[in-house]
Amino acid sequence: MSLTAATLFPHRISIITGHYGTGKTEFSVNLALALIREREQVMLADLDIVNPYFRSREQRPLLESAGVRVISSSQACSDADVPSLPPELLAILENREITGVLDIGGDPVGARVLARFRPRIQMEDYQLIYVINANRPEVRTPETAIDYLRSIEAITGLTCTGLVNNTHLCGETTADQIRKGAALAAAVSEQTGLPILCHTAEQRLAEELSDLPQPVFPISIHMKKPWE
């Protein structure tokens, strides 16, 4: 089952969060690239101050060549408890002609970045998407995944609206790995009542997963380790 990005993610603002290493930045980049093919104005805000290796701002040339405008938090203050935020972030919140993707950090410090904007965000058409990767040891059980989700909700003051299964093993990802993530996502969904929005998979694996009950969102691998 495959649908357009705008159908899968119809809200004007998509806030992407998840534990460190779940692949939420890869998902954010792919979502922004998919949306720009269907929407006139798309902005990707890189607000992740936690992960030093995978930051969506590193794909600025790719994104901007496709028409996605990229903004990022101050790198100079990346070690601060609450770093300075780009003034352009207000453009996403105030201009309802813009479709926004917000890539936020996957720990309490990163999630706190959004807390000050909570009242403004709650006035907009937003979704808070929790990215799941069953291969991350810290969140590979329903209980630990839900605990982490609730901690992000508590810090941001925002309510999660859906789950994305992004289970992977980088270049060694198989359909069976993604199915393992689908089982974890199903358990989290059952216990929380949150819908599974989609499963991500490289195009080479998408056909093998066509029997999954939720849509498969095809992605390309853009984020590379610094030594690759």
Side-chain angles (χ1 to χ4, degrees):
M1 180 180 180
S2 179
L3 297 171
T4 67
T7 302
L8 285 174
F9 307 98
H11 300 275
R12 189 176 74 80
I13 298 174
S14 296
I15 303 170
I16 315 300
T17 190
H19 195 277
Y20 169 86
T22 54
K24 64 184 181 56
T25 293
E26 186 75 81
F27 173 68
S28 298
V29 169
N30 275 272
L31 178 57
L33 289 171
L35 288 171
I36 196 60
R37 294 193 287 267
E38 304 165 22
R39 302 280 179 87
E40 290 188 6
Q41 297 187 64
V42 176
M43 292 180 67
L44 172 61
D46 176 5
L47 306 179
D48 187 350
I49 63 166
V50 177
N51 192 336
Y53 296 126
F54 301 104
R55 287 175 170 169
S56 49
R57 67 171 70 102
E58 303 301 333
Q59 292 301 316
R60 185 186 297 271
L62 170 68
L63 290 158
E64 293 189 342
S65 67
V68 178
R69 184 177 172 188
V70 180
I71 61 176
S72 59
S73 56
S74 171
Q75 292 176 294
C77 299
S78 60
D79 294 326
D81 187 46
V82 180
S84 62
L85 295 177
E88 296 93 336
L89 179 59
L90 291 175
I92 295 179
L93 300 178
E94 295 176 353
N95 186 345
R96 291 178 178 170
E97 299 299 316
I98 294 173
T99 298
V101 178
L102 277 57
D103 176 12
I104 71 169
D107 81 339
V109 174
R112 197 173 299 128
V113 168
L114 279 189
R116 74 179 78 169
F117 287 99
R118 179 183 64 203
R120 190 67 183 83
I121 291 172
Q122 289 175 324
M123 295 171 59
E124 300 303 321
D125 175 29
Y126 84 93
Q127 56 188 345
L128 179 62
I129 298 171
Y130 183 59
V131 176
I132 289 175
N133 181 346
N135 290 321
R136 292 302 301 166
E138 300 88 346
V139 287
R140 64 185 174 190
T141 68
E143 293 74 22
T144 55
I146 292 170
D147 285 347
Y148 204 85
L149 166 61
R150 296 309 185 201
S151 70
I152 291 173
E153 288 182 321
I155 293 165
T156 62
L158 302 173
T159 301
C160 182
T161 55
L163 311 171
V164 166
N165 168 32
N166 190 53
T167 297
H168 66 88
L169 280 175
C170 299
E172 300 178 9
T173 304
T174 64
D176 286 343
Q177 289 292 326
I178 296 171
R179 291 182 187 282
K180 181 174 76 171
L184 174 60
V188 173
S189 175
E190 181 178 358
Q191 294 184 38
T192 62
L194 293 170
I196 301 172
L197 302 179
C198 68
H199 309 274
T200 68
E202 291 181 72
Q203 192 63 56
R204 63 184 176 86
L205 299 172
E207 290 188 8
E208 295 182 57
L209 301 165
S210 60
D211 61 317
L212 288 175
Q214 296 85 20
V216 174
F217 181 67
I219 64 171
S220 298
I221 305 302
H222 300 293
M223 307 306 298
K224 303 292 185 180
K225 300 180 183 69
W227 52 89
E228 291 182 324

